[in-house]
Amino acid sequence: MKVAKDCVVRFEYTLHETGGEQLEATEKDAVAYLHGHNAMIPAIEAGLEGKEAGDLVNLSLPPEQAYGVRNEEAVERISVKHLQGAKRWKAGMPAVVQTEQGPRQVTVLKVGKFMATIDTNHPYAGKHLDFAIKVVEARDATEEELAHGHAHGAGGHQH
């Protein structure tokens, strides 16, 4: 089956900053998403459109097509009690903060006894990224997946 709207796509990938180190890679389970439902970076969806299981896709994305350009004003001071992911905080550590749009990954810039300064840019914002993707599976989404708006099962959302 070819990757198209309303299908579940499972893929493995490695991610490098262009000309630099590896940033991420799938380890055990392939990533799964519901194609055509804004569940994936649009440039990755476009690159996978029409592909089939076994296909290899290399994408080189500028910041505007990946995680955006850095916003140097995206720095806030918040109460340390709102940081999730560790008990003791140090500058440079990633944290999760609950927002009105759901959980958001941030980077701790400075931490005091009660307050922390955080950077709300995505950690890869401003980076030119190279994705090496292998399509593992493309299948029709179930009615439940379509109703929920996301993939279920291995690599997707677990209910």
Side-chain angles (χ1 to χ4, degrees), residues 29-52:
D29 291 326
V31 174
Y33 76 97
L34 183 57
H35 192 79
H37 290 260
N38 300 316
M40 184 57 55
I41 295 171
I44 292 177
E45 278 203 5
L48 295 179
E49 183 79 24
K51 302 299 187 225
E52 299 178 288

Side-chain angles (χ1 to χ4, degrees), residues 4-157:
K5 183 169 173 55
D6 296 340
C7 79
V8 171
V9 180
R10 290 182 54 239
F11 67 90
E12 298 170 341
Y13 72 96
T14 57
L15 171 62
H16 288 81
E17 184 170 5
T18 300
E21 65 184 73
Q22 179 177 306
L23 301 172
E24 289 182 12
T26 49
E27 293 183 17
K28 292 184 181 180
D29 291 326
V31 174
Y33 76 97
L34 183 57
H35 192 79
H37 290 260
N38 300 316
M40 184 57 55
I41 295 171
I44 292 177
E45 278 203 5
L48 295 179
E49 183 79 24
K51 302 299 187 225
E52 299 178 288
D55 285 351
L56 303 175
V57 178
N58 292 304
L59 300 171
S60 185
L61 305 180
E64 299 81 9
Q65 292 181 352
Y67 292 97
V69 295
R70 285 192 55 76
N71 176 357
E72 297 306 326
E73 296 177 12
V75 173
E76 297 178 26
R77 284 185 44 85
I78 65 169
S79 173
V80 172
K81 69 181 180 183
H82 294 299
L83 299 175
Q84 299 173 352
K87 292 184 190 259
R88 303 188 109 188
W89 295 100
K90 294 181 182 175
M93 292 177 72
V96 174
V97 176
Q98 293 298 325
T99 71
E100 292 177 0
Q101 294 80 34
R104 179 171 189 154
Q105 185 176 349
V106 299
T107 303
V108 176
L109 298 177
K110 183 178 171 185
V111 64
K113 188 171 183 177
F114 301 107
M115 299 295 287
T117 304
I118 59 169
D119 180 349
T120 61
N121 284 294
H122 188 282
Y124 301 154
K127 296 181 187 263
H128 193 286
L129 301 173
D130 294 329
F131 289 85
I133 300 169
K134 178 182 179 184
V135 179
V136 173
E137 177 186 28
R139 64 168 173 80
D140 287 326
T142 65
E143 287 184 28
E144 184 180 39
E145 288 171 321
L146 291 171
H148 290 183
H150 58 255
H152 293 172
H157 193 315

